[in-house]
Amino acid sequence: MSVSYAFGKFFVPGPTDVRPDVLAAMTQPMIAHRGPEFEAMFARIQEGLRAVFRTERPVYVSSSSATGLMEAAIRCAPAGRILALVNGGFSERFAKIADMCGRDFDRYEVPAGRAHDPAELRDRLAGKRYVAITVVHSETSTGVLNDVRALSDVARESGALCLIDSVSGLGGVPLEFDEWKCDYVLTGSQKALALPPGLAFAAASADFARAAKEVAGRGVYFDLGEFDQFAAKDQTPNTPAVSLLYAADAQLQAIAAEGMEARWARHLAMQQEVVEWTERLAERGISIVARPGERSPTVSAIRLPGGMTPRGFITEVRRTGYTLGAGYGALKDTTFRIGHMGDHTVATVRGCLAACDEVLEKA
Ligand SMILES: *Cc1c(COP(=O)(O)O)cnc(C)c1O
């Protein structure tokens, strides 16, 4: 079966556009998830994911959206207080999960559109004992990139685990799980990895995985101890979304062929296109929410001048065949977002920006 579909016009920052050959991979027949064919595929997927996470550790595969592995991080964190770093909608979700899982937690909040400061984090961790911090690498709601390497170093100094959500980061932004001595990094399939939604991936350090196996009340479906045990035999604890794994198998091979360094460079080049576009239109009141030096290479939240609503703008751009993302959370009514991630290229981003120009000329 072939999928006929013109890739390159869908710029929602998750789910992002998926190539036709990856979509077509999902039409393969079922296989038993406790059989040799599955284990062989899972081993290939592990190899691909390890290259993306830059780790020798197993990478857990969850048939859930990314939020599931955020919840896993909280539920499997050892007893004690958590510090939630909040700077937008998704980091707020991490704090909410800590709250709803009944954890004691504090917030280190900075305004939406800003990044966290490692020195400030050091002060907060010195003042109180925390077992873990939660942090979002690329805040998809605002387009802000946190320096998770520095923040994770500071957490480690104080003996706190650093639980990193890199859902719109990993695959598009450098992250070195082993070299940076990360404790936990999770991502989702539908952002910079350019897969359909429905899978989530995470790596945990050996120490965190071991500690997770002792945590009371961690539940079943998001028990990292179970993921760890099953990953060792190239399996998942429960029936996985086999069709989505076919897509992951195909896409991870394409990612390996491109190479991570080339992928990161491509994302920077796409971001640069968007930055230059906003700079050209600065006089019209168009600007990027995130400040220079704190911008995510995978997603931009963009302010429109007064008089033009993002909702109306997105609708007009849609008529040209291009789909933009709406604003998210606190920025919902004042911004639109471009997801320049996954398998998009400088050429497809240029096409999208030309469509935006066409609409702006008429406005
Ligand atoms: C999309 C996203 C999530 C949530 O992902 P789901 O797959 O919808 O659960 C979490 N964090 C960030 C930073 C995201 O971009």
Side-chain angles (χ1 to χ4, degrees):
M1 180 183 156
S2 76
V3 177
S4 91
Y5 161 72
F7 175 92
K9 295 191 165 187
F10 188 77
F11 284 85
V12 170
T16 189
D17 216 346
V18 178
R19 292 197 325 275
D21 57 302
V22 175
L23 293 174
M26 291 192 292
T27 63
Q28 296 168 80
M30 288 303 113
I31 50 174
H33 63 287
R34 302 285 182 230
E37 272 178 280
F38 180 86
E39 286 166 13
M41 174 169 76
F42 197 82
R44 275 197 307 277
I45 288 173
Q46 281 296 302
E47 192 185 329
L49 286 171
R50 284 193 179 110
V52 171
F53 278 72
R54 315 275 273 196
T55 188
E56 299 294 322
R57 292 281 307 150
V59 181
Y60 312 143
V61 176
S62 172
S63 293
S64 68
S65 83
T67 306
L69 288 183
M70 296 170 83
E71 187 152 334
I74 298 292
R75 298 195 76 155
C76 297
R81 220 173 169 77
I82 291 172
L83 182 65
L85 275 55
V86 176
N87 65 339
F90 291 102
S91 41
E92 180 66 53
R93 181 179 300 184
F94 229 161
K96 182 180 175 188
I97 293 169
D99 190 13
M100 299 312 281
C101 288
R103 302 294 303 240
D104 290 329
F105 77 105
D106 293 313
R107 306 155 65 92
Y108 162 23
E109 184 160 8
V110 298
R114 300 290 291 274
H116 289 93
D117 174 19
E120 166 83 23
L121 176 66
R122 183 175 290 115
D123 288 348
R124 295 198 180 221
L125 293 177
K128 214 172 187 177
R129 166 81 188 129
Y130 292 98
V131 69
I133 70 165
T134 62
V135 60
V136 169
H137 188 194
S138 165
E139 206 0 302
T140 319
S141 64
T142 60
V144 166
L145 190 75
N146 253 327
D147 184 351
V148 288
R149 182 182 198 176
L151 295 166
S152 139
D153 282 347
V154 168
R156 188 172 338 101
E157 280 167 29
S158 84
L161 292 168
C162 183
L163 309 174
I164 300 173
D165 165 339
S166 188
V167 177
S168 69
L170 207 78
V173 184
L175 186 145
E176 303 275 358
F177 189 91
D178 286 355
E179 194 187 321
W180 298 358
K181 301 186 169 60
C182 293
D183 298 305
Y184 183 81
V185 174
L186 78 106
T187 194
S189 51
Q190 79 276 27
K191 307 275 168 89
L193 297 176
L195 283 164
L199 291 178
F201 311 108
S205 67
D207 284 349
F208 181 33
R210 205 174 303 119
K213 290 174 184 156
E214 306 298 322
V215 175
R218 64 188 182 281
V220 173
Y221 198 66
F222 296 117
D223 176 358
L224 294 176
E226 282 239 307
F227 278 109
D228 200 63
Q229 216 175 304
F230 278 84
K233 44 184 183 178
D234 286 322
Q235 289 187 4
T236 54
N238 313 292
T239 317
V242 173
S243 307
L244 289 170
L245 286 176
Y246 287 140
D249 189 18
Q251 175 65 343
L252 286 163
Q253 287 172 46
I255 289 174
E258 181 179 17
M260 292 312 292
E261 282 77 5
R263 210 173 162 82
W264 297 333
R266 177 165 56 76
H267 280 82
L268 278 180
M270 291 193 285
Q271 177 197 26
Q272 192 55 30
E273 285 296 316
V274 174
V275 169
E276 283 169 12
W277 178 76
T278 57
E279 284 169 0
R280 274 201 302 280
L281 291 165
E283 275 181 14
R284 292 195 59 169
I286 286 184
S287 63
I288 293 187
V289 170
R291 305 189 308 178
E294 295 181 352
R295 291 173 176 163
S296 173
T298 62
V299 53
S300 300
I302 299 171
R303 288 189 204 90
L304 277 176
M308 208 185 309
T309 68
R311 185 195 287 257
F313 180 67
I314 291 166
T315 305
E316 287 305 311
V317 171
R318 184 82 189 92
R319 291 187 213 283
T320 70
Y322 282 87
T323 307
L324 300 170
Y328 190 97
L331 304 178
K332 193 169 178 36
D333 295 327
T334 50
T335 66
F336 71 93
R337 292 176 301 156
I338 300 181
H340 33 85
M341 65 173 88
D343 286 337
H344 278 299
T345 60
V346 165
T348 66
V349 169
R350 280 186 185 151
C352 176
L353 297 173
C356 293
D357 279 334
E358 196 181 313
V359 170
L360 286 170
E361 272 158 29
K362 284 187 252 155

Short mmCIF file of all heavy atoms in Angstrom, two decimals, residues 250-300:
data_model
loop_
_atom_site.label_atom_id
_atom_site.label_comp_id
_atom_site.label_asym_id
_atom_site.label_seq_id
_atom_site.Cartn_x
_atom_site.Cartn_y
_atom_site.Cartn_z
N ALA A 250 11.20 2.26 10.99
CA ALA A 250 11.56 2.90 9.72
C ALA A 250 12.22 4.26 9.96
O ALA A 250 13.26 4.58 9.38
CB ALA A 250 10.31 3.06 8.85
N GLN A 251 11.62 5.05 10.84
CA GLN A 251 12.09 6.42 11.03
C GLN A 251 13.46 6.46 11.72
O GLN A 251 14.30 7.29 11.39
CB GLN A 251 11.04 7.22 11.82
CG GLN A 251 11.46 8.63 12.21
CD GLN A 251 11.66 9.56 11.00
OE1 GLN A 251 11.80 9.10 9.87
NE2 GLN A 251 11.69 10.85 11.26
N LEU A 252 13.68 5.57 12.67
CA LEU A 252 14.98 5.59 13.37
C LEU A 252 16.11 5.21 12.42
O LEU A 252 17.25 5.69 12.57
CB LEU A 252 14.94 4.68 14.60
CG LEU A 252 14.12 5.27 15.76
CD1 LEU A 252 13.75 4.20 16.78
CD2 LEU A 252 14.86 6.43 16.43
N GLN A 253 15.80 4.39 11.43
CA GLN A 253 16.84 4.09 10.43
C GLN A 253 17.14 5.32 9.58
O GLN A 253 18.30 5.60 9.25
CB GLN A 253 16.41 2.89 9.58
CG GLN A 253 16.53 1.59 10.39
CD GLN A 253 15.95 0.36 9.69
OE1 GLN A 253 16.21 0.15 8.51
NE2 GLN A 253 15.18 -0.43 10.39
N ALA A 254 16.10 6.09 9.27
CA ALA A 254 16.30 7.33 8.49
C ALA A 254 17.09 8.35 9.33
O ALA A 254 17.96 9.06 8.81
CB ALA A 254 14.95 7.91 8.06
N ILE A 255 16.79 8.40 10.62
CA ILE A 255 17.50 9.34 11.50
C ILE A 255 18.98 8.95 11.60
O ILE A 255 19.86 9.80 11.55
CB ILE A 255 16.82 9.38 12.90
CG1 ILE A 255 15.46 10.09 12.79
CG2 ILE A 255 17.71 10.07 13.93
CD1 ILE A 255 14.63 10.09 14.07
N ALA A 256 19.23 7.64 11.70
CA ALA A 256 20.63 7.18 11.77
C ALA A 256 21.38 7.54 10.49
O ALA A 256 22.54 7.94 10.52
CB ALA A 256 20.67 5.67 12.02
N ALA A 257 20.67 7.42 9.36
CA ALA A 257 21.32 7.73 8.08
C ALA A 257 21.66 9.22 7.99
O ALA A 257 22.71 9.59 7.46
CB ALA A 257 20.40 7.32 6.92
N GLU A 258 20.80 10.06 8.52
CA GLU A 258 21.09 11.50 8.51
C GLU A 258 22.21 11.83 9.48
O GLU A 258 23.09 12.63 9.17
CB GLU A 258 19.84 12.32 8.86
CG GLU A 258 20.11 13.84 8.81
CD GLU A 258 18.90 14.69 9.14
OE1 GLU A 258 17.93 14.18 9.71
OE2 GLU A 258 18.94 15.89 8.82
N GLY A 259 22.19 11.22 10.65
CA GLY A 259 23.20 11.49 11.68
C GLY A 259 22.72 12.60 12.60
O GLY A 259 22.09 13.56 12.15
N MET A 260 22.98 12.46 13.89
CA MET A 260 22.46 13.44 14.86
C MET A 260 23.04 14.83 14.64
O MET A 260 22.32 15.82 14.73
CB MET A 260 22.72 12.97 16.30
CG MET A 260 21.92 11.75 16.72
SD MET A 260 20.15 11.85 16.32
CE MET A 260 19.64 13.16 17.44
N GLU A 261 24.34 14.91 14.36
CA GLU A 261 24.94 16.23 14.19
C GLU A 261 24.29 16.98 13.02
O GLU A 261 23.99 18.17 13.12
CB GLU A 261 26.46 16.13 13.98
CG GLU A 261 27.25 15.87 15.26
CD GLU A 261 27.20 14.42 15.76
OE1 GLU A 261 26.60 13.56 15.05
OE2 GLU A 261 27.73 14.15 16.85
N ALA A 262 24.05 16.24 11.92
CA ALA A 262 23.42 16.87 10.75
C ALA A 262 21.98 17.28 11.09
O ALA A 262 21.50 18.33 10.65
CB ALA A 262 23.42 15.89 9.58
N ARG A 263 21.33 16.48 11.89
CA ARG A 263 19.95 16.77 12.28
C ARG A 263 19.90 18.04 13.14
O ARG A 263 19.05 18.90 12.94
CB ARG A 263 19.43 15.57 13.07
CG ARG A 263 17.97 15.34 12.94
CD ARG A 263 17.54 14.04 13.59
NE ARG A 263 16.11 14.12 13.80
CZ ARG A 263 15.21 13.87 12.85
NH1 ARG A 263 15.59 13.47 11.66
NH2 ARG A 263 13.93 14.00 13.10
N TRP A 264 20.81 18.14 14.09
CA TRP A 264 20.85 19.35 14.93
C TRP A 264 21.12 20.58 14.07
O TRP A 264 20.51 21.63 14.27
CB TRP A 264 21.93 19.21 16.02
CG TRP A 264 21.70 18.09 16.98
CD1 TRP A 264 20.48 17.55 17.34
CD2 TRP A 264 22.69 17.35 17.72
NE1 TRP A 264 20.68 16.54 18.26
CE2 TRP A 264 22.01 16.39 18.50
CE3 TRP A 264 24.08 17.42 17.80
CZ2 TRP A 264 22.68 15.52 19.35
CZ3 TRP A 264 24.75 16.54 18.65
CH2 TRP A 264 24.06 15.59 19.41
N ALA A 265 22.05 20.44 13.13
CA ALA A 265 22.41 21.58 12.27
C ALA A 265 21.20 22.00 11.42
O ALA A 265 20.94 23.18 11.21
CB ALA A 265 23.60 21.22 11.39
N ARG A 266 20.48 21.00 10.93
CA ARG A 266 19.29 21.31 10.10
C ARG A 266 18.26 22.07 10.93
O ARG A 266 17.63 23.02 10.44
CB ARG A 266 18.70 20.00 9.54
CG ARG A 266 17.43 20.19 8.73
CD ARG A 266 17.10 18.94 7.90
NE ARG A 266 16.98 17.72 8.68
CZ ARG A 266 15.93 17.41 9.44
NH1 ARG A 266 14.89 18.24 9.50
NH2 ARG A 266 15.89 16.28 10.12
N HIS A 267 18.08 21.68 12.18
CA HIS A 267 17.11 22.39 13.03
C HIS A 267 17.56 23.83 13.29
O HIS A 267 16.74 24.76 13.27
CB HIS A 267 16.87 21.62 14.33
CG HIS A 267 15.91 20.47 14.16
ND1 HIS A 267 16.30 19.25 13.67
CD2 HIS A 267 14.57 20.40 14.36
CE1 HIS A 267 15.23 18.46 13.59
NE2 HIS A 267 14.17 19.12 14.01
N LEU A 268 18.85 24.03 13.50
CA LEU A 268 19.35 25.40 13.69
C LEU A 268 19.12 26.24 12.45
O LEU A 268 18.75 27.42 12.53
CB LEU A 268 20.85 25.37 14.03
CG LEU A 268 21.23 25.09 15.48
CD1 LEU A 268 22.75 25.10 15.62
CD2 LEU A 268 20.60 26.12 16.43
N ALA A 269 19.32 25.63 11.30
CA ALA A 269 19.14 26.36 10.03
C ALA A 269 17.67 26.73 9.83
O ALA A 269 17.35 27.83 9.39
CB ALA A 269 19.66 25.53 8.86
N MET A 270 16.77 25.82 10.21
CA MET A 270 15.33 26.12 10.09
C MET A 270 14.96 27.25 11.04
O MET A 270 14.21 28.18 10.69
CB MET A 270 14.49 24.87 10.41
CG MET A 270 14.61 23.78 9.36
SD MET A 270 13.34 22.50 9.54
CE MET A 270 13.93 21.59 10.97
N GLN A 271 15.50 27.18 12.27
CA GLN A 271 15.22 28.23 13.25
C GLN A 271 15.70 29.58 12.73
O GLN A 271 15.01 30.60 12.85
CB GLN A 271 15.92 27.89 14.57
CG GLN A 271 15.74 28.97 15.64
CD GLN A 271 16.74 28.83 16.77
OE1 GLN A 271 17.83 28.30 16.59
NE2 GLN A 271 16.37 29.28 17.94
N GLN A 272 16.89 29.57 12.13
CA GLN A 272 17.48 30.80 11.61
C GLN A 272 16.56 31.46 10.56
O GLN A 272 16.40 32.67 10.53
CB GLN A 272 18.87 30.49 11.03
CG GLN A 272 19.72 31.71 10.71
CD GLN A 272 19.87 32.64 11.92
OE1 GLN A 272 19.85 32.19 13.07
NE2 GLN A 272 20.01 33.93 11.65
N GLU A 273 15.95 30.61 9.71
CA GLU A 273 15.00 31.13 8.72
C GLU A 273 13.87 31.89 9.40
O GLU A 273 13.47 32.97 8.96
CB GLU A 273 14.36 29.97 7.92
CG GLU A 273 15.25 29.33 6.90
CD GLU A 273 15.65 30.28 5.77
OE1 GLU A 273 14.77 31.02 5.27
OE2 GLU A 273 16.84 30.28 5.42
N VAL A 274 13.35 31.30 10.46
CA VAL A 274 12.21 31.91 11.16
C VAL A 274 12.64 33.20 11.86
O VAL A 274 11.94 34.21 11.82
CB VAL A 274 11.58 30.90 12.16
CG1 VAL A 274 10.50 31.55 13.00
CG2 VAL A 274 11.01 29.70 11.40
N VAL A 275 13.82 33.15 12.49
CA VAL A 275 14.32 34.34 13.19
C VAL A 275 14.50 35.49 12.19
O VAL A 275 14.04 36.61 12.42
CB VAL A 275 15.66 34.03 13.91
CG1 VAL A 275 16.32 35.31 14.40
CG2 VAL A 275 15.42 33.08 15.07
N GLU A 276 15.12 35.19 11.04
CA GLU A 276 15.33 36.24 10.04
C GLU A 276 14.02 36.77 9.50
O GLU A 276 13.88 37.97 9.24
CB GLU A 276 16.22 35.72 8.90
CG GLU A 276 17.69 35.66 9.33
CD GLU A 276 18.56 34.89 8.34
OE1 GLU A 276 18.09 34.61 7.21
OE2 GLU A 276 19.70 34.57 8.72
N TRP A 277 13.05 35.89 9.35
CA TRP A 277 11.73 36.32 8.87
C TRP A 277 11.11 37.31 9.86
O TRP A 277 10.59 38.36 9.47
CB TRP A 277 10.84 35.08 8.67
CG TRP A 277 9.45 35.38 8.22
CD1 TRP A 277 9.05 35.74 6.96
CD2 TRP A 277 8.26 35.36 9.02
NE1 TRP A 277 7.69 35.92 6.92
CE2 TRP A 277 7.18 35.70 8.18
CE3 TRP A 277 8.00 35.07 10.37
CZ2 TRP A 277 5.86 35.75 8.63
CZ3 TRP A 277 6.69 35.13 10.82
CH2 TRP A 277 5.64 35.47 9.97
N THR A 278 11.17 36.99 11.14
CA THR A 278 10.57 37.90 12.14
C THR A 278 11.35 39.21 12.18
O THR A 278 10.76 40.27 12.38
CB THR A 278 10.52 37.28 13.55
OG1 THR A 278 11.85 36.91 13.94
CG2 THR A 278 9.61 36.08 13.63
N GLU A 279 12.65 39.14 12.00
CA GLU A 279 13.45 40.38 12.01
C GLU A 279 13.07 41.28 10.84
O GLU A 279 12.99 42.50 10.99
CB GLU A 279 14.95 40.05 12.02
CG GLU A 279 15.40 39.59 13.41
CD GLU A 279 16.80 38.99 13.45
OE1 GLU A 279 17.45 38.91 12.38
OE2 GLU A 279 17.22 38.59 14.55
N ARG A 280 12.80 40.67 9.69
CA ARG A 280 12.37 41.45 8.52
C ARG A 280 11.03 42.14 8.78
O ARG A 280 10.74 43.19 8.25
CB ARG A 280 12.22 40.54 7.30
CG ARG A 280 13.49 40.32 6.51
CD ARG A 280 13.19 39.86 5.08
NE ARG A 280 12.41 38.63 4.98
CZ ARG A 280 12.92 37.42 5.11
NH1 ARG A 280 14.19 37.24 5.37
NH2 ARG A 280 12.15 36.35 5.00
N LEU A 281 10.21 41.49 9.63
CA LEU A 281 8.86 42.01 9.86
C LEU A 281 8.72 42.73 11.19
O LEU A 281 7.60 43.03 11.64
CB LEU A 281 7.85 40.85 9.80
CG LEU A 281 7.69 40.25 8.40
CD1 LEU A 281 6.98 38.90 8.47
CD2 LEU A 281 6.93 41.20 7.49
N ALA A 282 9.87 43.02 11.82
CA ALA A 282 9.84 43.65 13.16
C ALA A 282 9.06 44.96 13.14
O ALA A 282 8.32 45.26 14.08
CB ALA A 282 11.26 43.86 13.66
N GLU A 283 9.21 45.72 12.05
CA GLU A 283 8.51 47.00 11.96
C GLU A 283 7.00 46.86 11.99
O GLU A 283 6.28 47.77 12.38
CB GLU A 283 8.90 47.72 10.65
CG GLU A 283 10.16 48.52 10.82
CD GLU A 283 10.54 49.26 9.55
OE1 GLU A 283 9.68 49.36 8.64
OE2 GLU A 283 11.69 49.70 9.48
N ARG A 284 6.54 45.68 11.57
CA ARG A 284 5.09 45.45 11.60
C ARG A 284 4.63 44.92 12.96
O ARG A 284 3.46 44.57 13.13
CB ARG A 284 4.70 44.45 10.51
CG ARG A 284 4.89 45.05 9.12
CD ARG A 284 4.18 44.24 8.07
NE ARG A 284 2.73 44.14 8.31
CZ ARG A 284 1.88 43.67 7.42
NH1 ARG A 284 2.30 43.26 6.25
NH2 ARG A 284 0.59 43.60 7.71
N GLY A 285 5.55 44.81 13.90
CA GLY A 285 5.16 44.39 15.24
C GLY A 285 5.22 42.89 15.45
O GLY A 285 4.68 42.37 16.42
N ILE A 286 5.87 42.19 14.52
CA ILE A 286 5.99 40.73 14.67
C ILE A 286 7.28 40.41 15.41
O ILE A 286 8.34 40.95 15.09
CB ILE A 286 5.93 40.06 13.28
CG1 ILE A 286 4.48 40.12 12.80
CG2 ILE A 286 6.49 38.65 13.31
CD1 ILE A 286 4.22 39.42 11.52
N SER A 287 7.20 39.56 16.42
CA SER A 287 8.42 39.24 17.17
C SER A 287 8.33 37.85 17.80
O SER A 287 7.23 37.32 18.02
CB SER A 287 8.65 40.28 18.27
OG SER A 287 7.58 40.25 19.19
N ILE A 288 9.49 37.29 18.07
CA ILE A 288 9.57 35.98 18.72
C ILE A 288 9.50 36.18 20.23
O ILE A 288 10.12 37.10 20.77
CB ILE A 288 10.89 35.28 18.33
CG1 ILE A 288 10.85 34.93 16.83
CG2 ILE A 288 11.13 34.03 19.16
CD1 ILE A 288 12.01 34.09 16.34
N VAL A 289 8.73 35.35 20.90
CA VAL A 289 8.54 35.47 22.35
C VAL A 289 9.86 35.26 23.09
O VAL A 289 10.24 36.05 23.95
CB VAL A 289 7.48 34.46 22.84
CG1 VAL A 289 7.45 34.38 24.36
CG2 VAL A 289 6.10 34.83 22.29
N ALA A 290 10.58 34.21 22.76
CA ALA A 290 11.82 33.88 23.48
C ALA A 290 12.92 34.86 23.12
O ALA A 290 12.98 35.36 21.99
CB ALA A 290 12.25 32.46 23.14
N ARG A 291 13.79 35.13 24.09
CA ARG A 291 14.87 36.07 23.86
C ARG A 291 16.04 35.39 23.14
O ARG A 291 16.23 34.18 23.29
CB ARG A 291 15.35 36.63 25.20
CG ARG A 291 14.18 37.24 25.96
CD ARG A 291 14.61 37.98 27.19
NE ARG A 291 15.46 37.21 28.07
CZ ARG A 291 15.98 37.69 29.19
NH1 ARG A 291 15.76 38.94 29.54
NH2 ARG A 291 16.72 36.94 29.96
N PRO A 292 16.82 36.16 22.38
CA PRO A 292 18.00 35.56 21.73
C PRO A 292 18.85 34.83 22.78
O PRO A 292 18.98 35.30 23.90
CB PRO A 292 18.75 36.77 21.17
CG PRO A 292 17.72 37.84 21.02
CD PRO A 292 16.72 37.61 22.12
N GLY A 293 19.38 33.70 22.42
CA GLY A 293 20.17 32.92 23.36
C GLY A 293 19.34 31.94 24.17
O GLY A 293 19.88 31.04 24.81
N GLU A 294 18.01 32.11 24.16
CA GLU A 294 17.13 31.19 24.91
C GLU A 294 16.09 30.56 23.98
O GLU A 294 15.05 30.11 24.43
CB GLU A 294 16.39 31.95 26.03
CG GLU A 294 17.31 32.51 27.11
CD GLU A 294 16.54 33.23 28.23
OE1 GLU A 294 15.31 33.44 28.10
OE2 GLU A 294 17.19 33.59 29.22
N ARG A 295 16.37 30.60 22.67
CA ARG A 295 15.37 30.14 21.72
C ARG A 295 15.55 28.68 21.34
O ARG A 295 16.66 28.26 21.04
CB ARG A 295 15.42 31.02 20.46
CG ARG A 295 14.93 32.42 20.74
CD ARG A 295 15.15 33.31 19.54
NE ARG A 295 14.58 34.64 19.82
CZ ARG A 295 14.88 35.73 19.15
NH1 ARG A 295 15.71 35.67 18.12
NH2 ARG A 295 14.32 36.87 19.47
N SER A 296 14.46 27.94 21.30
CA SER A 296 14.52 26.54 20.91
C SER A 296 14.69 26.41 19.39
O SER A 296 13.99 27.08 18.63
CB SER A 296 13.25 25.81 21.33
OG SER A 296 13.28 24.50 20.80
N PRO A 297 15.60 25.54 18.96
CA PRO A 297 15.76 25.31 17.51
C PRO A 297 14.58 24.59 16.86
O PRO A 297 14.54 24.47 15.64
CB PRO A 297 17.01 24.42 17.44
CG PRO A 297 17.73 24.63 18.72
CD PRO A 297 16.66 24.88 19.74
N THR A 298 13.62 24.11 17.67
CA THR A 298 12.55 23.30 17.08
C THR A 298 11.20 24.00 16.97
O THR A 298 10.34 23.55 16.22
CB THR A 298 12.33 22.01 17.90
OG1 THR A 298 11.91 22.37 19.22
CG2 THR A 298 13.60 21.16 17.97
N VAL A 299 11.00 25.06 17.76
CA VAL A 299 9.67 25.68 17.77
C VAL A 299 9.79 27.16 18.14
O VAL A 299 10.61 27.53 18.99
CB VAL A 299 8.71 24.93 18.76
CG1 VAL A 299 9.31 24.79 20.14
CG2 VAL A 299 7.34 25.60 18.84
N SER A 300 8.97 27.98 17.47
CA SER A 300 8.93 29.41 17.80
C SER A 300 7.51 29.83 18.09
O SER A 300 6.59 29.51 17.34
CB SER A 300 9.46 30.25 16.62
OG SER A 300 10.79 29.91 16.32
#
